[in-house]
């Protein structure tokens, strides 16, 4: 991951008033956690392949979202997290 390139380490980013935590394991499981999320927060998460094909979408993400990329091809994916209309993007490298 860029803003991370890791196996089981956690990476963080501040998104508005929320802290975003992203972890990834060697098999391609990515976990996105929105710390301090409140009930009226709107959260959207998606993942696209490097060629722009959407491979995951969660329009009503909660505190923790698990993204299984284990069956996807090795390569680079773009993770986008949107909380209350503020977004951050991450480069995910699937080994």
């Amino acid at each position: 991951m860029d803003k991370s390139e890791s196996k089981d380490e956690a990476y963080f980013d501040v998104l508005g008033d929320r802290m975003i935590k992203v972890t990834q394991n060697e098999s391609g499981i990515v976990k996105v956690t929105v710390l301090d999320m409140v009930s009226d927060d709107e959260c959207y998460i998606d993942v696209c392949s490097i060629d722009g094909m959407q491979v995951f979408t969660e329009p009503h993400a909660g505190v923790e979202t698990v993204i299984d990329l284990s069956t996807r091809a090795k390569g680079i994916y773009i993770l986008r997290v949107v909380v209350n209309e503020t977004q951050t993007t991450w480069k995910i490298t699937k080994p």
Side-chain angles (χ1 to χ4, degrees), residues 59-94:
H60 304 289
V63 172
E64 183 173 275
T65 301
V66 177
I67 303 163
D68 185 356
L69 298 177
S70 64
T71 60
R72 298 288 174 178
K74 294 178 182 180
I76 297 172
Y77 294 84
I78 304 300
L79 166 68
R80 180 172 61 135
V81 180
V82 182
V83 178
N84 299 328
E85 300 181 11
T86 304
Q87 73 176 357
T88 184
T89 57
W90 301 67
K91 182 174 84 173
I92 307 289
T93 303
K94 182 180 180 287

PDB file of all heavy atoms in Angstrom, residues 59-94:
ATOM      1  N   PRO A  59     -21.442   1.062  -0.594  1.00  0.00           N
ATOM      2  CA  PRO A  59     -21.995   2.414  -0.522  1.00  0.00           C
ATOM      3  C   PRO A  59     -22.420   2.853   0.881  1.00  0.00           C
ATOM      4  O   PRO A  59     -22.594   4.034   1.122  1.00  0.00           O
ATOM      5  CB  PRO A  59     -23.188   2.359  -1.465  1.00  0.00           C
ATOM      6  CG  PRO A  59     -23.558   0.921  -1.536  1.00  0.00           C
ATOM      7  CD  PRO A  59     -22.295   0.141  -1.331  1.00  0.00           C
ATOM      8  N   HIS A  60     -22.565   1.901   1.808  1.00  0.00           N
ATOM      9  CA  HIS A  60     -23.005   2.232   3.173  1.00  0.00           C
ATOM     10  C   HIS A  60     -22.069   1.548   4.168  1.00  0.00           C
ATOM     11  O   HIS A  60     -22.512   0.773   5.015  1.00  0.00           O
ATOM     12  CB  HIS A  60     -24.451   1.795   3.402  1.00  0.00           C
ATOM     13  CG  HIS A  60     -25.400   2.383   2.412  1.00  0.00           C
ATOM     14  ND1 HIS A  60     -25.737   3.721   2.410  1.00  0.00           N
ATOM     15  CD2 HIS A  60     -26.049   1.830   1.371  1.00  0.00           C
ATOM     16  CE1 HIS A  60     -26.569   3.954   1.412  1.00  0.00           C
ATOM     17  NE2 HIS A  60     -26.773   2.825   0.760  1.00  0.00           N
ATOM     18  N   ALA A  61     -20.787   1.847   4.053  1.00  0.00           N
ATOM     19  CA  ALA A  61     -19.791   1.195   4.901  1.00  0.00           C
ATOM     20  C   ALA A  61     -19.981   1.586   6.362  1.00  0.00           C
ATOM     21  O   ALA A  61     -20.377   2.700   6.677  1.00  0.00           O
ATOM     22  CB  ALA A  61     -18.386   1.577   4.435  1.00  0.00           C
ATOM     23  N   GLY A  62     -19.670   0.642   7.237  1.00  0.00           N
ATOM     24  CA  GLY A  62     -19.747   0.881   8.670  1.00  0.00           C
ATOM     25  C   GLY A  62     -18.376   1.167   9.245  1.00  0.00           C
ATOM     26  O   GLY A  62     -17.450   1.570   8.533  1.00  0.00           O
ATOM     27  N   VAL A  63     -18.236   0.912  10.524  1.00  0.00           N
ATOM     28  CA  VAL A  63     -16.984   1.184  11.224  1.00  0.00           C
ATOM     29  C   VAL A  63     -15.845   0.365  10.621  1.00  0.00           C
ATOM     30  O   VAL A  63     -14.753   0.871  10.401  1.00  0.00           O
ATOM     31  CB  VAL A  63     -17.125   0.889  12.734  1.00  0.00           C
ATOM     32  CG1 VAL A  63     -15.782   0.979  13.442  1.00  0.00           C
ATOM     33  CG2 VAL A  63     -18.126   1.845  13.365  1.00  0.00           C
ATOM     34  N   GLU A  64     -16.088  -0.918  10.336  1.00  0.00           N
ATOM     35  CA  GLU A  64     -15.049  -1.761   9.732  1.00  0.00           C
ATOM     36  C   GLU A  64     -15.584  -2.431   8.474  1.00  0.00           C
ATOM     37  O   GLU A  64     -16.674  -2.986   8.484  1.00  0.00           O
ATOM     38  CB  GLU A  64     -14.558  -2.823  10.713  1.00  0.00           C
ATOM     39  CG  GLU A  64     -13.430  -3.666  10.125  1.00  0.00           C
ATOM     40  CD  GLU A  64     -12.822  -4.610  11.141  1.00  0.00           C
ATOM     41  OE1 GLU A  64     -11.927  -4.175  11.872  1.00  0.00           O
ATOM     42  OE2 GLU A  64     -13.262  -5.772  11.191  1.00  0.00           O
ATOM     43  N   THR A  65     -14.800  -2.359   7.417  1.00  0.00           N
ATOM     44  CA  THR A  65     -15.146  -3.000   6.148  1.00  0.00           C
ATOM     45  C   THR A  65     -14.006  -3.918   5.759  1.00  0.00           C
ATOM     46  O   THR A  65     -12.848  -3.503   5.740  1.00  0.00           O
ATOM     47  CB  THR A  65     -15.376  -1.945   5.053  1.00  0.00           C
ATOM     48  OG1 THR A  65     -16.425  -1.064   5.458  1.00  0.00           O
ATOM     49  CG2 THR A  65     -15.743  -2.592   3.729  1.00  0.00           C
ATOM     50  N   VAL A  66     -14.342  -5.165   5.433  1.00  0.00           N
ATOM     51  CA  VAL A  66     -13.348  -6.147   5.008  1.00  0.00           C
ATOM     52  C   VAL A  66     -13.474  -6.310   3.496  1.00  0.00           C
ATOM     53  O   VAL A  66     -14.568  -6.554   2.978  1.00  0.00           O
ATOM     54  CB  VAL A  66     -13.550  -7.502   5.718  1.00  0.00           C
ATOM     55  CG1 VAL A  66     -12.556  -8.533   5.204  1.00  0.00           C
ATOM     56  CG2 VAL A  66     -13.432  -7.332   7.220  1.00  0.00           C
ATOM     57  N   ILE A  67     -12.353  -6.154   2.819  1.00  0.00           N
ATOM     58  CA  ILE A  67     -12.311  -6.260   1.360  1.00  0.00           C
ATOM     59  C   ILE A  67     -11.446  -7.460   1.013  1.00  0.00           C
ATOM     60  O   ILE A  67     -10.263  -7.507   1.364  1.00  0.00           O
ATOM     61  CB  ILE A  67     -11.722  -4.979   0.740  1.00  0.00           C
ATOM     62  CG1 ILE A  67     -12.540  -3.764   1.188  1.00  0.00           C
ATOM     63  CG2 ILE A  67     -11.657  -5.094  -0.774  1.00  0.00           C
ATOM     64  CD1 ILE A  67     -11.841  -2.441   0.974  1.00  0.00           C
ATOM     65  N   ASP A  68     -12.028  -8.440   0.325  1.00  0.00           N
ATOM     66  CA  ASP A  68     -11.306  -9.661  -0.019  1.00  0.00           C
ATOM     67  C   ASP A  68     -10.795  -9.569  -1.460  1.00  0.00           C
ATOM     68  O   ASP A  68     -11.563  -9.706  -2.409  1.00  0.00           O
ATOM     69  CB  ASP A  68     -12.228 -10.868   0.142  1.00  0.00           C
ATOM     70  CG  ASP A  68     -11.524 -12.192  -0.087  1.00  0.00           C
ATOM     71  OD1 ASP A  68     -10.324 -12.194  -0.457  1.00  0.00           O
ATOM     72  OD2 ASP A  68     -12.175 -13.233   0.111  1.00  0.00           O
ATOM     73  N   LEU A  69      -9.500  -9.331  -1.589  1.00  0.00           N
ATOM     74  CA  LEU A  69      -8.873  -9.300  -2.911  1.00  0.00           C
ATOM     75  C   LEU A  69      -8.114 -10.594  -3.200  1.00  0.00           C
ATOM     76  O   LEU A  69      -7.381 -10.679  -4.176  1.00  0.00           O
ATOM     77  CB  LEU A  69      -7.902  -8.108  -3.006  1.00  0.00           C
ATOM     78  CG  LEU A  69      -8.511  -6.720  -2.856  1.00  0.00           C
ATOM     79  CD1 LEU A  69      -7.417  -5.655  -2.905  1.00  0.00           C
ATOM     80  CD2 LEU A  69      -9.556  -6.454  -3.929  1.00  0.00           C
ATOM     81  N   SER A  70      -8.313 -11.617  -2.362  1.00  0.00           N
ATOM     82  CA  SER A  70      -7.533 -12.845  -2.477  1.00  0.00           C
ATOM     83  C   SER A  70      -7.711 -13.559  -3.817  1.00  0.00           C
ATOM     84  O   SER A  70      -6.787 -14.218  -4.290  1.00  0.00           O
ATOM     85  CB  SER A  70      -7.857 -13.799  -1.328  1.00  0.00           C
ATOM     86  OG  SER A  70      -9.207 -14.212  -1.386  1.00  0.00           O
ATOM     87  N   THR A  71      -8.868 -13.424  -4.432  1.00  0.00           N
ATOM     88  CA  THR A  71      -9.094 -14.091  -5.715  1.00  0.00           C
ATOM     89  C   THR A  71      -8.756 -13.191  -6.909  1.00  0.00           C
ATOM     90  O   THR A  71      -8.865 -13.628  -8.049  1.00  0.00           O
ATOM     91  CB  THR A  71     -10.565 -14.539  -5.842  1.00  0.00           C
ATOM     92  OG1 THR A  71     -11.405 -13.386  -5.760  1.00  0.00           O
ATOM     93  CG2 THR A  71     -10.925 -15.528  -4.741  1.00  0.00           C
ATOM     94  N   ARG A  72      -8.351 -11.996  -6.641  1.00  0.00           N
ATOM     95  CA  ARG A  72      -7.997 -11.039  -7.702  1.00  0.00           C
ATOM     96  C   ARG A  72      -6.548 -11.233  -8.132  1.00  0.00           C
ATOM     97  O   ARG A  72      -5.719 -11.753  -7.388  1.00  0.00           O
ATOM     98  CB  ARG A  72      -8.201  -9.599  -7.233  1.00  0.00           C
ATOM     99  CG  ARG A  72      -9.615  -9.270  -6.871  1.00  0.00           C
ATOM    100  CD  ARG A  72     -10.456  -9.190  -8.114  1.00  0.00           C
ATOM    101  NE  ARG A  72     -11.857  -9.006  -7.785  1.00  0.00           N
ATOM    102  CZ  ARG A  72     -12.793  -8.868  -8.681  1.00  0.00           C
ATOM    103  NH1 ARG A  72     -12.498  -8.881  -9.972  1.00  0.00           N
ATOM    104  NH2 ARG A  72     -14.038  -8.707  -8.323  1.00  0.00           N
ATOM    105  N   ALA A  73      -6.251 -10.782  -9.335  1.00  0.00           N
ATOM    106  CA  ALA A  73      -4.895 -10.891  -9.873  1.00  0.00           C
ATOM    107  C   ALA A  73      -3.923 -10.056  -9.053  1.00  0.00           C
ATOM    108  O   ALA A  73      -4.296  -9.039  -8.459  1.00  0.00           O
ATOM    109  CB  ALA A  73      -4.879 -10.420 -11.325  1.00  0.00           C
ATOM    110  N   LYS A  74      -2.676 -10.497  -9.020  1.00  0.00           N
ATOM    111  CA  LYS A  74      -1.631  -9.699  -8.387  1.00  0.00           C
ATOM    112  C   LYS A  74      -1.534  -8.374  -9.107  1.00  0.00           C
ATOM    113  O   LYS A  74      -1.776  -8.288 -10.310  1.00  0.00           O
ATOM    114  CB  LYS A  74      -0.286 -10.417  -8.467  1.00  0.00           C
ATOM    115  CG  LYS A  74      -0.236 -11.691  -7.673  1.00  0.00           C
ATOM    116  CD  LYS A  74       1.098 -12.374  -7.837  1.00  0.00           C
ATOM    117  CE  LYS A  74       1.097 -13.681  -7.072  1.00  0.00           C
ATOM    118  NZ  LYS A  74       2.373 -14.383  -7.213  1.00  0.00           N
ATOM    119  N   GLY A  75      -1.192  -7.327  -8.368  1.00  0.00           N
ATOM    120  CA  GLY A  75      -1.040  -6.035  -9.005  1.00  0.00           C
ATOM    121  C   GLY A  75      -1.424  -4.899  -8.091  1.00  0.00           C
ATOM    122  O   GLY A  75      -1.507  -5.045  -6.875  1.00  0.00           O
ATOM    123  N   ILE A  76      -1.690  -3.765  -8.703  1.00  0.00           N
ATOM    124  CA  ILE A  76      -1.986  -2.540  -7.966  1.00  0.00           C
ATOM    125  C   ILE A  76      -3.471  -2.223  -8.075  1.00  0.00           C
ATOM    126  O   ILE A  76      -4.056  -2.296  -9.162  1.00  0.00           O
ATOM    127  CB  ILE A  76      -1.141  -1.375  -8.510  1.00  0.00           C
ATOM    128  CG1 ILE A  76       0.337  -1.687  -8.271  1.00  0.00           C
ATOM    129  CG2 ILE A  76      -1.537  -0.055  -7.854  1.00  0.00           C
ATOM    130  CD1 ILE A  76       1.281  -0.707  -8.919  1.00  0.00           C
ATOM    131  N   TYR A  77      -4.054  -1.850  -6.942  1.00  0.00           N
ATOM    132  CA  TYR A  77      -5.460  -1.467  -6.855  1.00  0.00           C
ATOM    133  C   TYR A  77      -5.540  -0.118  -6.152  1.00  0.00           C
ATOM    134  O   TYR A  77      -4.682   0.231  -5.348  1.00  0.00           O
ATOM    135  CB  TYR A  77      -6.266  -2.516  -6.073  1.00  0.00           C
ATOM    136  CG  TYR A  77      -6.329  -3.842  -6.795  1.00  0.00           C
ATOM    137  CD1 TYR A  77      -5.294  -4.762  -6.673  1.00  0.00           C
ATOM    138  CD2 TYR A  77      -7.390  -4.142  -7.618  1.00  0.00           C
ATOM    139  CE1 TYR A  77      -5.335  -5.970  -7.360  1.00  0.00           C
ATOM    140  CE2 TYR A  77      -7.448  -5.344  -8.312  1.00  0.00           C
ATOM    141  CZ  TYR A  77      -6.413  -6.254  -8.180  1.00  0.00           C
ATOM    142  OH  TYR A  77      -6.447  -7.436  -8.873  1.00  0.00           O
ATOM    143  N   ILE A  78      -6.579   0.628  -6.458  1.00  0.00           N
ATOM    144  CA  ILE A  78      -6.793   1.929  -5.834  1.00  0.00           C
ATOM    145  C   ILE A  78      -7.991   1.816  -4.890  1.00  0.00           C
ATOM    146  O   ILE A  78      -9.099   1.475  -5.308  1.00  0.00           O
ATOM    147  CB  ILE A  78      -7.051   3.037  -6.886  1.00  0.00           C
ATOM    148  CG1 ILE A  78      -5.901   3.103  -7.891  1.00  0.00           C
ATOM    149  CG2 ILE A  78      -7.282   4.383  -6.190  1.00  0.00           C
ATOM    150  CD1 ILE A  78      -4.538   3.401  -7.295  1.00  0.00           C
ATOM    151  N   LEU A  79      -7.757   2.100  -3.617  1.00  0.00           N
ATOM    152  CA  LEU A  79      -8.782   2.101  -2.582  1.00  0.00           C
ATOM    153  C   LEU A  79      -9.204   3.540  -2.341  1.00  0.00           C
ATOM    154  O   LEU A  79      -8.362   4.412  -2.136  1.00  0.00           O
ATOM    155  CB  LEU A  79      -8.212   1.510  -1.284  1.00  0.00           C
ATOM    156  CG  LEU A  79      -9.013   1.727  -0.004  1.00  0.00           C
ATOM    157  CD1 LEU A  79     -10.336   0.960  -0.050  1.00  0.00           C
ATOM    158  CD2 LEU A  79      -8.188   1.306   1.203  1.00  0.00           C
ATOM    159  N   ARG A  80     -10.505   3.789  -2.392  1.00  0.00           N
ATOM    160  CA  ARG A  80     -11.030   5.131  -2.118  1.00  0.00           C
ATOM    161  C   ARG A  80     -11.983   5.036  -0.937  1.00  0.00           C
ATOM    162  O   ARG A  80     -12.879   4.196  -0.916  1.00  0.00           O
ATOM    163  CB  ARG A  80     -11.758   5.688  -3.332  1.00  0.00           C
ATOM    164  CG  ARG A  80     -12.319   7.091  -3.101  1.00  0.00           C
ATOM    165  CD  ARG A  80     -12.857   7.694  -4.364  1.00  0.00           C
ATOM    166  NE  ARG A  80     -13.950   6.883  -4.892  1.00  0.00           N
ATOM    167  CZ  ARG A  80     -15.095   7.376  -5.344  1.00  0.00           C
ATOM    168  NH1 ARG A  80     -15.303   8.678  -5.354  1.00  0.00           N
ATOM    169  NH2 ARG A  80     -16.029   6.580  -5.807  1.00  0.00           N
ATOM    170  N   VAL A  81     -11.778   5.902   0.041  1.00  0.00           N
ATOM    171  CA  VAL A  81     -12.639   5.979   1.219  1.00  0.00           C
ATOM    172  C   VAL A  81     -13.210   7.393   1.263  1.00  0.00           C
ATOM    173  O   VAL A  81     -12.462   8.370   1.224  1.00  0.00           O
ATOM    174  CB  VAL A  81     -11.848   5.689   2.510  1.00  0.00           C
ATOM    175  CG1 VAL A  81     -12.769   5.776   3.729  1.00  0.00           C
ATOM    176  CG2 VAL A  81     -11.159   4.335   2.438  1.00  0.00           C
ATOM    177  N   VAL A  82     -14.537   7.475   1.314  1.00  0.00           N
ATOM    178  CA  VAL A  82     -15.225   8.767   1.385  1.00  0.00           C
ATOM    179  C   VAL A  82     -16.046   8.786   2.671  1.00  0.00           C
ATOM    180  O   VAL A  82     -16.873   7.906   2.890  1.00  0.00           O
ATOM    181  CB  VAL A  82     -16.152   8.985   0.171  1.00  0.00           C
ATOM    182  CG1 VAL A  82     -16.823  10.351   0.249  1.00  0.00           C
ATOM    183  CG2 VAL A  82     -15.403   8.810  -1.142  1.00  0.00           C
ATOM    184  N   VAL A  83     -15.789   9.787   3.512  1.00  0.00           N
ATOM    185  CA  VAL A  83     -16.575   9.975   4.737  1.00  0.00           C
ATOM    186  C   VAL A  83     -17.096  11.399   4.728  1.00  0.00           C
ATOM    187  O   VAL A  83     -16.319  12.356   4.668  1.00  0.00           O
ATOM    188  CB  VAL A  83     -15.735   9.721   6.004  1.00  0.00           C
ATOM    189  CG1 VAL A  83     -16.570   9.976   7.254  1.00  0.00           C
ATOM    190  CG2 VAL A  83     -15.173   8.303   6.012  1.00  0.00           C
ATOM    191  N   ASN A  84     -18.427  11.521   4.730  1.00  0.00           N
ATOM    192  CA  ASN A  84     -19.070  12.837   4.751  1.00  0.00           C
ATOM    193  C   ASN A  84     -18.514  13.758   3.668  1.00  0.00           C
ATOM    194  O   ASN A  84     -18.169  14.910   3.914  1.00  0.00           O
ATOM    195  CB  ASN A  84     -18.929  13.473   6.135  1.00  0.00           C
ATOM    196  CG  ASN A  84     -19.583  12.637   7.209  1.00  0.00           C
ATOM    197  OD1 ASN A  84     -20.573  11.956   6.976  1.00  0.00           O
ATOM    198  ND2 ASN A  84     -19.013  12.659   8.398  1.00  0.00           N
ATOM    199  N   GLU A  85     -18.415  13.225   2.456  1.00  0.00           N
ATOM    200  CA  GLU A  85     -18.013  13.955   1.251  1.00  0.00           C
ATOM    201  C   GLU A  85     -16.534  14.356   1.219  1.00  0.00           C
ATOM    202  O   GLU A  85     -16.115  15.113   0.348  1.00  0.00           O
ATOM    203  CB  GLU A  85     -18.906  15.169   1.028  1.00  0.00           C
ATOM    204  CG  GLU A  85     -20.371  14.781   0.844  1.00  0.00           C
ATOM    205  CD  GLU A  85     -21.270  15.971   0.607  1.00  0.00           C
ATOM    206  OE1 GLU A  85     -20.775  17.086   0.366  1.00  0.00           O
ATOM    207  OE2 GLU A  85     -22.495  15.773   0.642  1.00  0.00           O
ATOM    208  N   THR A  86     -15.718  13.869   2.164  1.00  0.00           N
ATOM    209  CA  THR A  86     -14.276  14.074   2.131  1.00  0.00           C
ATOM    210  C   THR A  86     -13.642  12.728   1.813  1.00  0.00           C
ATOM    211  O   THR A  86     -14.043  11.714   2.376  1.00  0.00           O
ATOM    212  CB  THR A  86     -13.772  14.590   3.497  1.00  0.00           C
ATOM    213  OG1 THR A  86     -14.486  15.780   3.831  1.00  0.00           O
ATOM    214  CG2 THR A  86     -12.291  14.895   3.452  1.00  0.00           C
ATOM    215  N   GLN A  87     -12.663  12.709   0.906  1.00  0.00           N
ATOM    216  CA  GLN A  87     -12.129  11.414   0.481  1.00  0.00           C
ATOM    217  C   GLN A  87     -10.614  11.338   0.584  1.00  0.00           C
ATOM    218  O   GLN A  87      -9.918  12.338   0.588  1.00  0.00           O
ATOM    219  CB  GLN A  87     -12.577  11.075  -0.927  1.00  0.00           C
ATOM    220  CG  GLN A  87     -11.921  11.859  -2.026  1.00  0.00           C
ATOM    221  CD  GLN A  87     -12.368  11.375  -3.404  1.00  0.00           C
ATOM    222  OE1 GLN A  87     -13.124  10.434  -3.545  1.00  0.00           O
ATOM    223  NE2 GLN A  87     -11.874  12.028  -4.422  1.00  0.00           N
ATOM    224  N   THR A  88     -10.142  10.101   0.662  1.00  0.00           N
ATOM    225  CA  THR A  88      -8.734   9.797   0.598  1.00  0.00           C
ATOM    226  C   THR A  88      -8.571   8.578  -0.301  1.00  0.00           C
ATOM    227  O   THR A  88      -9.489   7.766  -0.438  1.00  0.00           O
ATOM    228  CB  THR A  88      -8.152   9.511   2.008  1.00  0.00           C
ATOM    229  OG1 THR A  88      -6.744   9.314   1.897  1.00  0.00           O
ATOM    230  CG2 THR A  88      -8.781   8.313   2.668  1.00  0.00           C
ATOM    231  N   THR A  89      -7.435   8.464  -0.948  1.00  0.00           N
ATOM    232  CA  THR A  89      -7.162   7.307  -1.805  1.00  0.00           C
ATOM    233  C   THR A  89      -5.858   6.659  -1.361  1.00  0.00           C
ATOM    234  O   THR A  89      -4.943   7.324  -0.856  1.00  0.00           O
ATOM    235  CB  THR A  89      -7.078   7.696  -3.300  1.00  0.00           C
ATOM    236  OG1 THR A  89      -6.077   8.690  -3.467  1.00  0.00           O
ATOM    237  CG2 THR A  89      -8.406   8.188  -3.820  1.00  0.00           C
ATOM    238  N   TRP A  90      -5.806   5.376  -1.567  1.00  0.00           N
ATOM    239  CA  TRP A  90      -4.654   4.553  -1.186  1.00  0.00           C
ATOM    240  C   TRP A  90      -4.280   3.649  -2.349  1.00  0.00           C
ATOM    241  O   TRP A  90      -5.164   3.141  -3.040  1.00  0.00           O
ATOM    242  CB  TRP A  90      -5.002   3.669  -0.007  1.00  0.00           C
ATOM    243  CG  TRP A  90      -5.433   4.373   1.231  1.00  0.00           C
ATOM    244  CD1 TRP A  90      -6.594   5.111   1.393  1.00  0.00           C
ATOM    245  CD2 TRP A  90      -4.741   4.451   2.454  1.00  0.00           C
ATOM    246  NE1 TRP A  90      -6.648   5.606   2.660  1.00  0.00           N
ATOM    247  CE2 TRP A  90      -5.521   5.206   3.345  1.00  0.00           C
ATOM    248  CE3 TRP A  90      -3.543   3.916   2.922  1.00  0.00           C
ATOM    249  CZ2 TRP A  90      -5.142   5.454   4.644  1.00  0.00           C
ATOM    250  CZ3 TRP A  90      -3.171   4.165   4.223  1.00  0.00           C
ATOM    251  CH2 TRP A  90      -3.950   4.931   5.063  1.00  0.00           C
ATOM    252  N   LYS A  91      -3.017   3.431  -2.525  1.00  0.00           N
ATOM    253  CA  LYS A  91      -2.549   2.441  -3.502  1.00  0.00           C
ATOM    254  C   LYS A  91      -2.313   1.133  -2.758  1.00  0.00           C
ATOM    255  O   LYS A  91      -1.524   1.086  -1.823  1.00  0.00           O
ATOM    256  CB  LYS A  91      -1.262   2.911  -4.180  1.00  0.00           C
ATOM    257  CG  LYS A  91      -0.767   1.932  -5.249  1.00  0.00           C
ATOM    258  CD  LYS A  91       0.408   2.493  -6.000  1.00  0.00           C
ATOM    259  CE  LYS A  91       1.682   2.216  -5.242  1.00  0.00           C
ATOM    260  NZ  LYS A  91       2.890   2.595  -5.990  1.00  0.00           N
ATOM    261  N   ILE A  92      -3.020   0.099  -3.166  1.00  0.00           N
ATOM    262  CA  ILE A  92      -2.909  -1.229  -2.562  1.00  0.00           C
ATOM    263  C   ILE A  92      -2.126  -2.115  -3.531  1.00  0.00           C
ATOM    264  O   ILE A  92      -2.481  -2.210  -4.704  1.00  0.00           O
ATOM    265  CB  ILE A  92      -4.294  -1.877  -2.337  1.00  0.00           C
ATOM    266  CG1 ILE A  92      -5.214  -0.956  -1.543  1.00  0.00           C
ATOM    267  CG2 ILE A  92      -4.163  -3.261  -1.729  1.00  0.00           C
ATOM    268  CD1 ILE A  92      -4.854  -0.807  -0.108  1.00  0.00           C
ATOM    269  N   THR A  93      -1.083  -2.755  -3.046  1.00  0.00           N
ATOM    270  CA  THR A  93      -0.330  -3.712  -3.858  1.00  0.00           C
ATOM    271  C   THR A  93      -0.690  -5.098  -3.393  1.00  0.00           C
ATOM    272  O   THR A  93      -0.452  -5.458  -2.240  1.00  0.00           O
ATOM    273  CB  THR A  93       1.183  -3.462  -3.728  1.00  0.00           C
ATOM    274  OG1 THR A  93       1.479  -2.135  -4.104  1.00  0.00           O
ATOM    275  CG2 THR A  93       1.957  -4.423  -4.609  1.00  0.00           C
ATOM    276  N   LYS A  94      -1.291  -5.893  -4.304  1.00  0.00           N
ATOM    277  CA  LYS A  94      -1.629  -7.272  -3.968  1.00  0.00           C
ATOM    278  C   LYS A  94      -0.487  -8.157  -4.433  1.00  0.00           C
ATOM    279  O   LYS A  94      -0.168  -8.215  -5.613  1.00  0.00           O
ATOM    280  CB  LYS A  94      -2.923  -7.715  -4.626  1.00  0.00           C
ATOM    281  CG  LYS A  94      -3.243  -9.141  -4.198  1.00  0.00           C
ATOM    282  CD  LYS A  94      -4.501  -9.648  -4.800  1.00  0.00           C
ATOM    283  CE  LYS A  94      -4.778 -11.058  -4.367  1.00  0.00           C
ATOM    284  NZ  LYS A  94      -3.921 -12.052  -4.978  1.00  0.00           N
TER     285      LYS A  94
END
